[in-house]
Structure formats: C-alpha cells, structure tokens
Amino acid sequence: MASPSSSSSTSRNWQYDVFPSFSGEDIRKNFLSHFLKELERKMIFAFKDNEMERSQSIWPELVQAIRESRIAVVLFSKNYASSSWCLNELLEIVRCKEELGQIVIPVFYGLDPSEVRKQNGDFGKFFNKTCQNRTKQVKSQWQKALTDVANILGYHSEN
C-alpha cells in the first residue's frame, strides 16, 4: 500500500503508487515493460491493465485505479491521441490532480511536448481524426487536458 506524500492527500489510502496512461503496443513493448520492471525493482507498486479480471467492465475499474493512484504517469506518444479511451483517462487524471492532489508526470515518447500542447504534427493529425463525430465540448475538454498536462514539467524520451 502506498503512503501519501502531499499534504492535500494525507488522508488518502492509495491502492497504487503509479497509474501509467499510454496507448499502443509500441509503448507497451518498448518503454512500458522496462519502466514497470524498474518500478518493481524499486518496490513501487504500479497498476497493470493486463492484470485486470477479464470478466470485469473495464472503464469503471480503470477509473477506480486512476483515483486510487498517488501518481499518474502519462506516456504521450504519437498514438496517444488516436485513442478516445486514453483521452478520457486523461480527463479523469486531470480531475484527480485537481480534486485529490494526485501527482501527474508527463513523459513525451518520440515526440516534442509542443506537439501535445498545441495538438499539431502527427499527434495533432491523430487527435483531429479521433475528434471526428465528437461534440465541440468533448474536443474542447480533451484539448484543455492535453495542454494542461503538457505544460507540466516532465520527461522527454530523447533526454
């Protein structure tokens, strides 16, 4: 069980230390597997989506895992914005940051933070395609969340 660190979250009982938000098998195989091994080696408990019970409804379990994680690590790749699932996870992560004092750490994998911040480049193309058939309100919420999280000091994979 993770112990809380920030004063705004001292009364919380965290189920996980880290919730990784990511999209794509490229991230899962190349980056995430190494990242999770390193966390495990350091006795840091991370939520792992591939360990979820198969008979469970996925979304409520993901929301619960996000809410019960002290830290959310958002692994932005060019494919992240191609997933409405990830964009909705991001909305929940931003909510938890604001309401629960969750720590959010962005990692920019193979793309520049400005592509996420401004939704341009390949990231922007995927984002615009995902926004087709969505309301202006949903697109606006996703844009704000992407910009807010991309403005947090994080890590760039090339560094």
Side-chain angles (χ1 to χ4, degrees):
M1 193 81 84
S3 62
S5 66
S6 70
S7 60
S8 65
S9 59
T10 51
S11 63
R12 300 263 319 155
N13 280 327
W14 302 103
Q15 180 74 26
Y16 304 101
D17 294 304
V18 176
F19 179 90
S21 178
F22 67 97
S23 177
E25 285 304 308
D26 56 333
I27 293 289
R28 186 183 299 274
K29 289 177 185 159
N30 296 330
F31 183 86
L32 188 68
S33 61
H34 299 290
F35 178 67
L36 292 175
K37 273 188 192 131
E38 191 61 24
L39 291 178
E40 210 169 278
R41 196 177 67 76
K42 294 182 177 186
M43 308 284 289
I44 298 170
F45 189 57
F47 172 78
K48 296 174 186 155
D49 65 346
N50 59 352
E51 293 179 359
M52 289 171 45
E53 289 183 44
R54 294 293 170 219
S55 63
Q56 298 294 314
S57 179
I58 296 170
W59 182 248
E61 195 169 339
L62 280 177
V63 169
Q64 184 176 352
I66 292 167
R67 291 193 152 269
E68 293 178 348
S69 297
R70 185 164 52 104
I71 300 167
V73 175
V74 182
L75 301 162
F76 288 117
S77 65
K78 68 178 183 182
N79 294 322
Y80 190 91
S82 66
S83 168
S84 59
W85 201 264
C86 286
L87 295 168
N88 287 326
E89 269 183 16
L90 189 65
L91 292 177
E92 187 63 32
I93 288 166
V94 169
R95 232 177 264 121
C96 290
K97 177 182 179 290
E98 293 167 356
E99 295 172 8
L100 306 174
Q102 184 178 69
I103 298 164
V104 178
I105 302 170
V107 175
F108 302 94
Y109 184 80
L111 57 91
D112 191 87
S114 68
E115 289 181 61
V116 177
R117 202 174 294 119
K118 298 174 184 174
Q119 294 94 54
N120 62 15
D122 285 342
F123 187 90
K125 288 176 192 167
F126 285 123
F127 178 73
N128 287 324
K129 188 173 182 185
T130 305
C131 289
Q132 290 174 348
N133 305 318
R134 306 284 177 174
T135 65
K136 285 182 184 176
Q137 182 185 4
V138 168
K139 183 177 181 177
S140 175
Q141 289 174 330
W142 286 344
Q143 285 175 312
K144 183 179 181 333
L146 287 166
T147 301
D148 288 352
V149 174
N151 279 330
I152 297 170
L153 184 61
Y155 297 94
H156 197 292
S157 66
E158 293 173 7
N159 298 335

